[in-house]
Amino acid sequence: MNATLPLFPLNTVAFPGGLLPLRIFEQRYMDMVKKAIADRTPFGICAIREGKEVGAPAKPYEVGTRVQVTDWEMPQTGILHIKTQALERFVIRTTESDAQGLLRGNVDDIGAESRIAVPNDLRMAVDILRHIMEQVGADAFPEPLQFDNAVWVGYRLSEVLTLKLSVKQSLLEMNDSITRLRILNEFLKRQIS
């Protein structure tokens, strides 16, 4: 599906199905989020390729993720705390910036990866994810928990592991959940040894 989507370039990667809390304070993003809440429409989160989160529009990577606001609060004037649920991935075809510096992208959706069982040789990744969830708390992870689904396990590990932004972006762009999980499993093996 081809659509126009407001974009929020950040120094993070949103993975489909994940939960991402955000703190909004720039006026252009306050306006974008208020509209998303009022209209119940998504916006896009893209990792920053060049530039900064604040100030002039940053240049995003081409692949990002739609997110939907699930909850919000304004603890003080001028600061909005929101919780988002990441939906599907998209690829940016073109961008334009409005007078406020808000980027809008003409985007095409990337089809969701099909559910696939976690191979037995990659079960260590599942065990480590379970351990991380016990430490962090299950409420930081989306329901339903799908430890038997390589797509879900790979996305959740990609979110929580300390990886460079460019590595996380590469993991988001992959369309092969088993390869993604193999890469993460190898990373985990190196950390343990």
Side-chain angles (χ1 to χ4, degrees):
M1 178 180 94
N2 184 278
T4 301
L5 193 64
L7 302 176
F8 194 177
L10 292 169
N11 285 314
T12 194
V13 175
F15 289 89
L19 305 175
L20 182 65
L22 296 169
R23 185 172 163 265
I24 312 295
F25 54 88
E26 271 194 89
Q27 191 59 51
R28 60 184 161 175
Y29 298 122
M30 288 282 257
D31 294 344
M32 176 193 76
V33 169
K34 285 178 185 175
K35 183 165 176 34
I37 292 168
D39 298 346
R40 295 186 173 163
T41 54
F43 58 90
I45 290 184
C46 308
I48 294 174
R49 183 189 292 271
E50 295 172 21
K52 297 182 174 156
E53 285 186 358
V54 179
K59 181 176 176 171
Y61 282 95
E62 288 77 26
V63 175
T65 308
R66 285 179 201 268
V67 299
Q68 186 85 42
V69 177
T70 58
D71 196 13
W72 64 275
E73 66 176 353
M74 189 175 279
Q76 65 189 72
T77 304
I79 297 183
L80 186 62
H81 290 203
I82 64 171
K83 292 180 181 176
T84 66
Q85 169 91 46
L87 307 171
E88 65 278 342
R89 298 172 299 158
F90 60 82
V91 61
I92 301 170
R93 299 301 177 198
T94 59
T95 61
E96 60 182 39
S97 179
D98 69 14
Q100 277 191 302
L102 179 68
L103 281 178
R104 292 191 179 282
N106 185 304
V107 305
D108 290 326
D109 289 340
I110 298 173
E113 292 177 65
S114 298
R115 180 185 183 98
I116 187 166
V118 175
N120 286 334
D121 65 320
L122 300 177
R123 296 303 301 174
M124 182 185 85
V126 174
D127 295 339
I128 289 175
L129 180 59
R130 284 182 189 275
H131 178 73
I132 290 169
M133 288 180 73
E134 287 171 12
Q135 303 301 310
V136 174
D139 59 335
F141 296 87
E143 294 281 344
L145 305 181
Q146 302 175 47
F147 293 110
D148 58 341
N149 179 354
V151 180
W152 188 87
V153 171
Y155 281 155
R156 301 300 69 86
L157 279 171
S158 297
E159 289 167 349
V160 299
L161 293 177
T162 306
L163 303 166
K164 286 188 197 172
L165 186 66
S166 59
V167 172
K168 287 188 181 228
Q169 182 66 30
S170 295
L171 293 168
L172 177 71
E173 292 177 8
M174 280 183 185
N175 287 315
D176 183 338
S177 56
I178 299 299
T179 299
R180 180 185 301 112
L181 203 50
R182 269 193 208 295
I183 289 167
L184 292 164
N185 201 62
E186 287 306 311
F187 172 79
L188 290 167
K189 279 183 185 174
R190 286 197 305 271
Q191 300 305 306
I192 292 167
S193 58

